[in-house]
PDB file of all heavy atoms in Angstrom:
ATOM      1  N   LEU A1148      28.290 -35.702  -4.677  1.00 98.00           N
ATOM      2  CA  LEU A1148      28.718 -36.008  -6.037  1.00 98.00           C
ATOM      3  C   LEU A1148      27.773 -35.395  -7.069  1.00 98.00           C
ATOM      4  O   LEU A1148      28.214 -34.892  -8.112  1.00 98.00           O
ATOM      5  CB  LEU A1148      28.799 -37.520  -6.226  1.00 98.00           C
ATOM      6  CG  LEU A1148      30.022 -38.193  -5.596  1.00 98.00           C
ATOM      7  CD1 LEU A1148      29.890 -39.709  -5.642  1.00 98.00           C
ATOM      8  CD2 LEU A1148      31.307 -37.756  -6.292  1.00 98.00           C
ATOM      9  N   ALA A1149      26.476 -35.427  -6.779  1.00 97.00           N
ATOM     10  CA  ALA A1149      25.518 -34.828  -7.719  1.00 97.00           C
ATOM     11  C   ALA A1149      25.789 -33.335  -7.870  1.00 97.00           C
ATOM     12  O   ALA A1149      25.706 -32.777  -8.979  1.00 97.00           O
ATOM     13  CB  ALA A1149      24.094 -35.074  -7.229  1.00 97.00           C
ATOM     14  N   GLU A1150      26.118 -32.676  -6.770  1.00 98.00           N
ATOM     15  CA  GLU A1150      26.419 -31.251  -6.837  1.00 98.00           C
ATOM     16  C   GLU A1150      27.741 -31.005  -7.562  1.00 98.00           C
ATOM     17  O   GLU A1150      27.888 -30.006  -8.281  1.00 98.00           O
ATOM     18  CB  GLU A1150      26.473 -30.675  -5.422  1.00 98.00           C
ATOM     19  CG  GLU A1150      26.479 -29.160  -5.391  1.00 98.00           C
ATOM     20  CD  GLU A1150      26.344 -28.630  -3.978  1.00 98.00           C
ATOM     21  OE1 GLU A1150      27.367 -28.559  -3.264  1.00 98.00           O
ATOM     22  OE2 GLU A1150      25.215 -28.276  -3.590  1.00 98.00           O
ATOM     23  N   LEU A1151      28.696 -31.918  -7.404  1.00 98.00           N
ATOM     24  CA  LEU A1151      29.955 -31.795  -8.130  1.00 98.00           C
ATOM     25  C   LEU A1151      29.706 -31.776  -9.637  1.00 98.00           C
ATOM     26  O   LEU A1151      30.354 -31.013 -10.373  1.00 98.00           O
ATOM     27  CB  LEU A1151      30.892 -32.954  -7.764  1.00 98.00           C
ATOM     28  CG  LEU A1151      32.196 -33.043  -8.561  1.00 98.00           C
ATOM     29  CD1 LEU A1151      33.048 -31.789  -8.369  1.00 98.00           C
ATOM     30  CD2 LEU A1151      32.989 -34.293  -8.158  1.00 98.00           C
ATOM     31  N   GLU A1152      28.775 -32.590 -10.096  1.00 97.00           N
ATOM     32  CA  GLU A1152      28.473 -32.607 -11.525  1.00 97.00           C
ATOM     33  C   GLU A1152      27.989 -31.231 -11.990  1.00 97.00           C
ATOM     34  O   GLU A1152      28.414 -30.735 -13.048  1.00 97.00           O
ATOM     35  CB  GLU A1152      27.416 -33.668 -11.824  1.00 97.00           C
ATOM     36  CG  GLU A1152      27.134 -33.811 -13.312  1.00 97.00           C
ATOM     37  CD  GLU A1152      26.160 -34.930 -13.598  1.00 97.00           C
ATOM     38  OE1 GLU A1152      25.229 -35.129 -12.798  1.00 97.00           O
ATOM     39  OE2 GLU A1152      26.316 -35.599 -14.641  1.00 97.00           O
ATOM     40  N   LYS A1153      27.137 -30.590 -11.216  1.00 96.00           N
ATOM     41  CA  LYS A1153      26.657 -29.247 -11.563  1.00 96.00           C
ATOM     42  C   LYS A1153      27.816 -28.253 -11.600  1.00 96.00           C
ATOM     43  O   LYS A1153      27.896 -27.398 -12.490  1.00 96.00           O
ATOM     44  CB  LYS A1153      25.612 -28.786 -10.551  1.00 96.00           C
ATOM     45  CG  LYS A1153      24.322 -29.598 -10.551  1.00 96.00           C
ATOM     46  CD  LYS A1153      23.365 -29.088  -9.472  1.00 96.00           C
ATOM     47  CE  LYS A1153      22.096 -29.926  -9.414  1.00 96.00           C
ATOM     48  NZ  LYS A1153      21.181 -29.459  -8.331  1.00 96.00           N
ATOM     49  N   VAL A1154      28.717 -28.369 -10.609  1.00 97.00           N
ATOM     50  CA  VAL A1154      29.870 -27.461 -10.551  1.00 97.00           C
ATOM     51  C   VAL A1154      30.760 -27.656 -11.770  1.00 97.00           C
ATOM     52  O   VAL A1154      31.278 -26.688 -12.348  1.00 97.00           O
ATOM     53  CB  VAL A1154      30.662 -27.683  -9.249  1.00 97.00           C
ATOM     54  CG1 VAL A1154      31.894 -26.787  -9.221  1.00 97.00           C
ATOM     55  CG2 VAL A1154      29.798 -27.427  -8.027  1.00 97.00           C
ATOM     56  N   LEU A1155      30.949 -28.897 -12.188  1.00 97.00           N
ATOM     57  CA  LEU A1155      31.802 -29.165 -13.337  1.00 97.00           C
ATOM     58  C   LEU A1155      31.228 -28.538 -14.606  1.00 97.00           C
ATOM     59  O   LEU A1155      31.983 -28.091 -15.481  1.00 97.00           O
ATOM     60  CB  LEU A1155      31.999 -30.674 -13.514  1.00 97.00           C
ATOM     61  CG  LEU A1155      32.842 -31.361 -12.426  1.00 97.00           C
ATOM     62  CD1 LEU A1155      32.860 -32.867 -12.632  1.00 97.00           C
ATOM     63  CD2 LEU A1155      34.274 -30.813 -12.416  1.00 97.00           C
ATOM     64  N   PHE A1156      29.904 -28.473 -14.731  1.00 94.00           N
ATOM     65  CA  PHE A1156      29.282 -27.758 -15.856  1.00 94.00           C
ATOM     66  C   PHE A1156      29.741 -26.300 -15.863  1.00 94.00           C
ATOM     67  O   PHE A1156      30.112 -25.745 -16.900  1.00 94.00           O
ATOM     68  CB  PHE A1156      27.758 -27.815 -15.742  1.00 94.00           C
ATOM     69  CG  PHE A1156      27.132 -29.012 -16.395  1.00 94.00           C
ATOM     70  CD1 PHE A1156      26.498 -29.969 -15.631  1.00 94.00           C
ATOM     71  CD2 PHE A1156      27.178 -29.173 -17.774  1.00 94.00           C
ATOM     72  CE1 PHE A1156      25.911 -31.080 -16.230  1.00 94.00           C
ATOM     73  CE2 PHE A1156      26.587 -30.277 -18.385  1.00 94.00           C
ATOM     74  CZ  PHE A1156      25.955 -31.235 -17.613  1.00 94.00           C
ATOM     75  N   ASP A1157      29.698 -25.669 -14.684  1.00 94.00           N
ATOM     76  CA  ASP A1157      30.109 -24.269 -14.574  1.00 94.00           C
ATOM     77  C   ASP A1157      31.580 -24.110 -14.947  1.00 94.00           C
ATOM     78  O   ASP A1157      31.961 -23.166 -15.659  1.00 94.00           O
ATOM     79  CB  ASP A1157      29.886 -23.760 -13.152  1.00 94.00           C
ATOM     80  CG  ASP A1157      28.428 -23.444 -12.864  1.00 94.00           C
ATOM     81  OD1 ASP A1157      27.577 -23.776 -13.713  1.00 94.00           O
ATOM     82  OD2 ASP A1157      28.147 -22.873 -11.791  1.00 94.00           O
ATOM     83  N   ILE A1158      32.403 -25.028 -14.461  1.00 95.00           N
ATOM     84  CA  ILE A1158      33.845 -24.923 -14.701  1.00 95.00           C
ATOM     85  C   ILE A1158      34.147 -25.055 -16.189  1.00 95.00           C
ATOM     86  O   ILE A1158      35.005 -24.338 -16.731  1.00 95.00           O
ATOM     87  CB  ILE A1158      34.586 -25.995 -13.875  1.00 95.00           C
ATOM     88  CG1 ILE A1158      34.477 -25.666 -12.379  1.00 95.00           C
ATOM     89  CG2 ILE A1158      36.047 -26.103 -14.295  1.00 95.00           C
ATOM     90  CD1 ILE A1158      34.932 -26.780 -11.461  1.00 95.00           C
ATOM     91  N   GLU A1159      33.458 -25.963 -16.857  1.00 93.00           N
ATOM     92  CA  GLU A1159      33.694 -26.161 -18.292  1.00 93.00           C
ATOM     93  C   GLU A1159      33.391 -24.892 -19.092  1.00 93.00           C
ATOM     94  O   GLU A1159      34.013 -24.640 -20.128  1.00 93.00           O
ATOM     95  CB  GLU A1159      32.820 -27.323 -18.796  1.00 93.00           C
ATOM     96  CG  GLU A1159      33.308 -28.685 -18.329  1.00 93.00           C
ATOM     97  CD  GLU A1159      32.289 -29.791 -18.585  1.00 93.00           C
ATOM     98  OE1 GLU A1159      31.091 -29.480 -18.764  1.00 93.00           O
ATOM     99  OE2 GLU A1159      32.697 -30.963 -18.594  1.00 93.00           O
ATOM    100  N   GLY A1160      32.474 -24.071 -18.595  1.00 91.00           N
ATOM    101  CA  GLY A1160      32.084 -22.885 -19.352  1.00 91.00           C
ATOM    102  C   GLY A1160      32.760 -21.605 -18.910  1.00 91.00           C
ATOM    103  O   GLY A1160      32.492 -20.540 -19.488  1.00 91.00           O
ATOM    104  N   MET A1161      33.638 -21.677 -17.893  1.00 91.00           N
ATOM    105  CA  MET A1161      34.179 -20.426 -17.363  1.00 91.00           C
ATOM    106  C   MET A1161      35.518 -20.037 -17.986  1.00 91.00           C
ATOM    107  O   MET A1161      36.048 -18.956 -17.699  1.00 91.00           O
ATOM    108  CB  MET A1161      34.297 -20.501 -15.829  1.00 91.00           C
ATOM    109  CG  MET A1161      35.350 -21.442 -15.302  1.00 91.00           C
ATOM    110  SD  MET A1161      35.227 -21.705 -13.488  1.00 91.00           S
ATOM    111  CE  MET A1161      35.347 -20.056 -12.839  1.00 91.00           C
ATOM    112  N   GLY A1162      36.090 -20.913 -18.827  1.00 89.00           N
ATOM    113  CA  GLY A1162      37.324 -20.542 -19.521  1.00 89.00           C
ATOM    114  C   GLY A1162      38.551 -20.488 -18.652  1.00 89.00           C
ATOM    115  O   GLY A1162      39.532 -19.810 -18.999  1.00 89.00           O
ATOM    116  N   ALA A1163      38.548 -21.193 -17.534  1.00 95.00           N
ATOM    117  CA  ALA A1163      39.729 -21.219 -16.656  1.00 95.00           C
ATOM    118  C   ALA A1163      40.847 -22.022 -17.307  1.00 95.00           C
ATOM    119  O   ALA A1163      40.607 -22.919 -18.116  1.00 95.00           O
ATOM    120  CB  ALA A1163      39.361 -21.833 -15.308  1.00 95.00           C
ATOM    121  N   LYS A1164      42.077 -21.674 -16.954  1.00 96.00           N
ATOM    122  CA  LYS A1164      43.202 -22.415 -17.525  1.00 96.00           C
ATOM    123  C   LYS A1164      43.676 -23.540 -16.611  1.00 96.00           C
ATOM    124  O   LYS A1164      44.600 -24.287 -16.963  1.00 96.00           O
ATOM    125  CB  LYS A1164      44.351 -21.466 -17.837  1.00 96.00           C
ATOM    126  CG  LYS A1164      45.014 -20.808 -16.633  1.00 96.00           C
ATOM    127  CD  LYS A1164      46.125 -19.877 -17.106  1.00 96.00           C
ATOM    128  CE  LYS A1164      46.875 -19.252 -15.925  1.00 96.00           C
ATOM    129  NZ  LYS A1164      47.924 -18.316 -16.383  1.00 96.00           N
ATOM    130  N   GLY A1165      43.061 -23.674 -15.445  1.00 97.00           N
ATOM    131  CA  GLY A1165      43.407 -24.755 -14.524  1.00 97.00           C
ATOM    132  C   GLY A1165      42.397 -24.827 -13.399  1.00 97.00           C
ATOM    133  O   GLY A1165      41.667 -23.859 -13.135  1.00 97.00           O
ATOM    134  N   LEU A1166      42.327 -25.980 -12.753  1.00 98.00           N
ATOM    135  CA  LEU A1166      41.396 -26.183 -11.645  1.00 98.00           C
ATOM    136  C   LEU A1166      42.127 -26.804 -10.464  1.00 98.00           C
ATOM    137  O   LEU A1166      42.856 -27.791 -10.623  1.00 98.00           O
ATOM    138  CB  LEU A1166      40.243 -27.111 -12.064  1.00 98.00           C
ATOM    139  CG  LEU A1166      39.305 -27.584 -10.940  1.00 98.00           C
ATOM    140  CD1 LEU A1166      38.509 -26.412 -10.370  1.00 98.00           C
ATOM    141  CD2 LEU A1166      38.364 -28.678 -11.441  1.00 98.00           C
ATOM    142  N   VAL A1167      41.904 -26.238  -9.287  1.00 98.00           N
ATOM    143  CA  VAL A1167      42.430 -26.787  -8.038  1.00 98.00           C
ATOM    144  C   VAL A1167      41.252 -27.312  -7.223  1.00 98.00           C
ATOM    145  O   VAL A1167      40.247 -26.621  -7.062  1.00 98.00           O
ATOM    146  CB  VAL A1167      43.170 -25.707  -7.215  1.00 98.00           C
ATOM    147  CG1 VAL A1167      43.683 -26.303  -5.902  1.00 98.00           C
ATOM    148  CG2 VAL A1167      44.308 -25.117  -8.026  1.00 98.00           C
ATOM    149  N   ILE A1168      41.381 -28.525  -6.722  1.00 98.00           N
ATOM    150  CA  ILE A1168      40.370 -29.081  -5.814  1.00 98.00           C
ATOM    151  C   ILE A1168      41.016 -29.244  -4.446  1.00 98.00           C
ATOM    152  O   ILE A1168      42.100 -29.830  -4.319  1.00 98.00           O
ATOM    153  CB  ILE A1168      39.827 -30.434  -6.315  1.00 98.00           C
ATOM    154  CG1 ILE A1168      39.112 -30.251  -7.648  1.00 98.00           C
ATOM    155  CG2 ILE A1168      38.884 -31.051  -5.287  1.00 98.00           C
ATOM    156  CD1 ILE A1168      38.522 -31.523  -8.208  1.00 98.00           C
ATOM    157  N   ARG A1169      40.342 -28.685  -3.457  1.00 98.00           N
ATOM    158  CA  ARG A1169      40.904 -28.726  -2.106  1.00 98.00           C
ATOM    159  C   ARG A1169      39.776 -28.803  -1.075  1.00 98.00           C
ATOM    160  O   ARG A1169      38.633 -28.426  -1.348  1.00 98.00           O
ATOM    161  CB  ARG A1169      41.764 -27.491  -1.848  1.00 98.00           C
ATOM    162  CG  ARG A1169      42.501 -27.604  -0.512  1.00 98.00           C
ATOM    163  CD  ARG A1169      43.727 -26.774  -0.402  1.00 98.00           C
ATOM    164  NE  ARG A1169      44.521 -27.302   0.699  1.00 98.00           N
ATOM    165  CZ  ARG A1169      45.478 -26.661   1.326  1.00 98.00           C
ATOM    166  NH1 ARG A1169      45.790 -25.430   0.953  1.00 98.00           N
ATOM    167  NH2 ARG A1169      46.144 -27.216   2.302  1.00 98.00           N
ATOM    168  N   SER A1170      40.100 -29.283   0.101  1.00 98.00           N
ATOM    169  CA  SER A1170      39.146 -29.321   1.211  1.00 98.00           C
ATOM    170  C   SER A1170      39.239 -28.041   2.023  1.00 98.00           C
ATOM    171  O   SER A1170      40.330 -27.530   2.287  1.00 98.00           O
ATOM    172  CB  SER A1170      39.452 -30.520   2.114  1.00 98.00           C
ATOM    173  OG  SER A1170      38.808 -30.388   3.363  1.00 98.00           O
ATOM    174  N   ALA A1171      38.082 -27.557   2.454  1.00 96.00           N
ATOM    175  CA  ALA A1171      38.054 -26.416   3.371  1.00 96.00           C
ATOM    176  C   ALA A1171      38.026 -26.866   4.833  1.00 96.00           C
ATOM    177  O   ALA A1171      38.028 -26.024   5.730  1.00 96.00           O
ATOM    178  CB  ALA A1171      36.834 -25.546   3.077  1.00 96.00           C
ATOM    179  N   LYS A1172      37.998 -28.179   5.066  1.00 96.00           N
ATOM    180  CA  LYS A1172      38.040 -28.702   6.431  1.00 96.00           C
ATOM    181  C   LYS A1172      39.488 -28.776   6.907  1.00 96.00           C
ATOM    182  O   LYS A1172      40.376 -29.199   6.166  1.00 96.00           O
ATOM    183  CB  LYS A1172      37.436 -30.109   6.491  1.00 96.00           C
ATOM    184  CG  LYS A1172      36.021 -30.246   5.925  1.00 96.00           C
ATOM    185  CD  LYS A1172      34.968 -29.645   6.824  1.00 96.00           C
ATOM    186  CE  LYS A1172      33.571 -30.031   6.336  1.00 96.00           C
ATOM    187  NZ  LYS A1172      32.499 -29.295   7.034  1.00 96.00           N
ATOM    188  N   LYS A1173      39.716 -28.409   8.163  1.00 94.00           N
ATOM    189  CA  LYS A1173      41.086 -28.418   8.683  1.00 94.00           C
ATOM    190  C   LYS A1173      41.655 -29.827   8.807  1.00 94.00           C
ATOM    191  O   LYS A1173      42.851 -30.047   8.679  1.00 94.00           O
ATOM    192  CB  LYS A1173      41.134 -27.720  10.045  1.00 94.00           C
ATOM    193  CG  LYS A1173      40.936 -26.214   9.975  1.00 94.00           C
ATOM    194  CD  LYS A1173      41.119 -25.572  11.348  1.00 94.00           C
ATOM    195  CE  LYS A1173      40.982 -24.053  11.265  1.00 94.00           C
ATOM    196  NZ  LYS A1173      41.167 -23.415  12.589  1.00 94.00           N
ATOM    197  N   GLY A1174      40.775 -30.804   9.081  1.00 93.00           N
ATOM    198  CA  GLY A1174      41.263 -32.151   9.372  1.00 93.00           C
ATOM    199  C   GLY A1174      41.838 -32.897   8.200  1.00 93.00           C
ATOM    200  O   GLY A1174      42.684 -33.768   8.379  1.00 93.00           O
ATOM    201  N   GLY A1175      41.372 -32.586   6.996  1.00 97.00           N
ATOM    202  CA  GLY A1175      41.895 -33.329   5.869  1.00 97.00           C
ATOM    203  C   GLY A1175      41.107 -33.102   4.594  1.00 97.00           C
ATOM    204  O   GLY A1175      40.208 -32.264   4.519  1.00 97.00           O
ATOM    205  N   PHE A1176      41.454 -33.866   3.585  1.00 98.00           N
ATOM    206  CA  PHE A1176      40.898 -33.736   2.233  1.00 98.00           C
ATOM    207  C   PHE A1176      39.499 -34.367   2.200  1.00 98.00           C
ATOM    208  O   PHE A1176      38.503 -33.698   2.436  1.00 98.00           O
ATOM    209  CB  PHE A1176      41.860 -34.401   1.244  1.00 98.00           C
ATOM    210  CG  PHE A1176      41.499 -34.221  -0.203  1.00 98.00           C
ATOM    211  CD1 PHE A1176      41.523 -32.976  -0.791  1.00 98.00           C
ATOM    212  CD2 PHE A1176      41.162 -35.316  -0.982  1.00 98.00           C
ATOM    213  CE1 PHE A1176      41.199 -32.806  -2.132  1.00 98.00           C
ATOM    214  CE2 PHE A1176      40.840 -35.168  -2.324  1.00 98.00           C
ATOM    215  CZ  PHE A1176      40.855 -33.912  -2.899  1.00 98.00           C
ATOM    216  N   ILE A1177      39.418 -35.643   1.956  1.00 98.00           N
ATOM    217  CA  ILE A1177      38.135 -36.361   1.952  1.00 98.00           C
ATOM    218  C   ILE A1177      38.385 -37.727   2.583  1.00 98.00           C
ATOM    219  O   ILE A1177      39.318 -38.439   2.191  1.00 98.00           O
ATOM    220  CB  ILE A1177      37.579 -36.530   0.519  1.00 98.00           C
ATOM    221  CG1 ILE A1177      37.411 -35.168  -0.164  1.00 98.00           C
ATOM    222  CG2 ILE A1177      36.244 -37.269   0.543  1.00 98.00           C
ATOM    223  CD1 ILE A1177      37.074 -35.258  -1.645  1.00 98.00           C
ATOM    224  N   ALA A1178      37.553 -38.097   3.544  1.00 97.00           N
ATOM    225  CA  ALA A1178      37.760 -39.342   4.295  1.00 97.00           C
ATOM    226  C   ALA A1178      37.194 -40.558   3.581  1.00 97.00           C
ATOM    227  O   ALA A1178      37.278 -41.663   4.111  1.00 97.00           O
ATOM    228  CB  ALA A1178      37.134 -39.220   5.686  1.00 97.00           C
ATOM    229  N   GLY A1179      36.636 -40.382   2.393  1.00 96.00           N
ATOM    230  CA  GLY A1179      36.093 -41.508   1.651  1.00 96.00           C
ATOM    231  C   GLY A1179      34.616 -41.333   1.395  1.00 96.00           C
ATOM    232  O   GLY A1179      34.051 -40.242   1.535  1.00 96.00           O
ATOM    233  N   ALA A1180      33.977 -42.422   1.000  1.00 96.00           N
ATOM    234  CA  ALA A1180      32.534 -42.400   0.772  1.00 96.00           C
ATOM    235  C   ALA A1180      31.811 -42.254   2.105  1.00 96.00           C
ATOM    236  O   ALA A1180      32.355 -42.561   3.168  1.00 96.00           O
ATOM    237  CB  ALA A1180      32.095 -43.675   0.070  1.00 96.00           C
ATOM    238  N   ASP A1181      30.592 -41.789   2.042  1.00 96.00           N
ATOM    239  CA  ASP A1181      29.750 -41.719   3.239  1.00 96.00           C
ATOM    240  C   ASP A1181      29.213 -43.123   3.497  1.00 96.00           C
ATOM    241  O   ASP A1181      28.332 -43.606   2.775  1.00 96.00           O
ATOM    242  CB  ASP A1181      28.600 -40.739   3.010  1.00 96.00           C
ATOM    243  CG  ASP A1181      27.817 -40.450   4.274  1.00 96.00           C
ATOM    244  OD1 ASP A1181      27.802 -41.315   5.173  1.00 96.00           O
ATOM    245  OD2 ASP A1181      27.218 -39.370   4.375  1.00 96.00           O
ATOM    246  N   ILE A1182      29.755 -43.780   4.516  1.00 96.00           N
ATOM    247  CA  ILE A1182      29.418 -45.184   4.780  1.00 96.00           C
ATOM    248  C   ILE A1182      27.936 -45.335   5.097  1.00 96.00           C
ATOM    249  O   ILE A1182      27.357 -46.410   4.924  1.00 96.00           O
ATOM    250  CB  ILE A1182      30.281 -45.745   5.924  1.00 96.00           C
ATOM    251  CG1 ILE A1182      31.770 -45.507   5.643  1.00 96.00           C
ATOM    252  CG2 ILE A1182      30.056 -47.240   6.108  1.00 96.00           C
ATOM    253  CD1 ILE A1182      32.271 -46.112   4.369  1.00 96.00           C
ATOM    254  N   ARG A1183      27.303 -44.260   5.537  1.00 95.00           N
ATOM    255  CA  ARG A1183      25.867 -44.335   5.821  1.00 95.00           C
ATOM    256  C   ARG A1183      25.066 -44.705   4.578  1.00 95.00           C
ATOM    257  O   ARG A1183      23.992 -45.300   4.675  1.00 95.00           O
ATOM    258  CB  ARG A1183      25.376 -43.006   6.407  1.00 95.00           C
ATOM    259  CG  ARG A1183      25.926 -42.723   7.802  1.00 95.00           C
ATOM    260  CD  ARG A1183      25.638 -41.307   8.256  1.00 95.00           C
ATOM    261  NE  ARG A1183      26.375 -40.314   7.481  1.00 95.00           N
ATOM    262  CZ  ARG A1183      26.500 -39.041   7.829  1.00 95.00           C
ATOM    263  NH1 ARG A1183      25.931 -38.595   8.938  1.00 95.00           N
ATOM    264  NH2 ARG A1183      27.188 -38.196   7.083  1.00 95.00           N
TER     265      ARG A1183
END
C-alpha cells in the first residue's frame, strides 16, 4: 500500500486519461489483506 501511494503520485502527474488496475498473477486479482 505504501508503494501504491508513490505510484499514485506518478499517475497524477502523467496526464493519462484513464487508469486500469489489474493483477499480473494468474490465480487472481488480490486475495485480501496480508493476514500476517
Side-chain angles (χ1 to χ4, degrees):
L1148 284 171
E1150 193 172 83
L1151 174 61
E1152 184 176 36
K1153 295 178 182 178
V1154 177
L1155 291 175
F1156 271 114
D1157 283 9
I1158 292 169
E1159 287 168 340
M1161 69 190 303
K1164 66 181 183 182
L1166 171 67
V1167 179
I1168 297 181
R1169 187 157 198 199
S1170 164
K1172 306 286 190 190
K1173 289 185 177 180
F1176 186 66
I1177 303 171
D1181 189 334
I1182 307 302
R1183 292 170 292 193

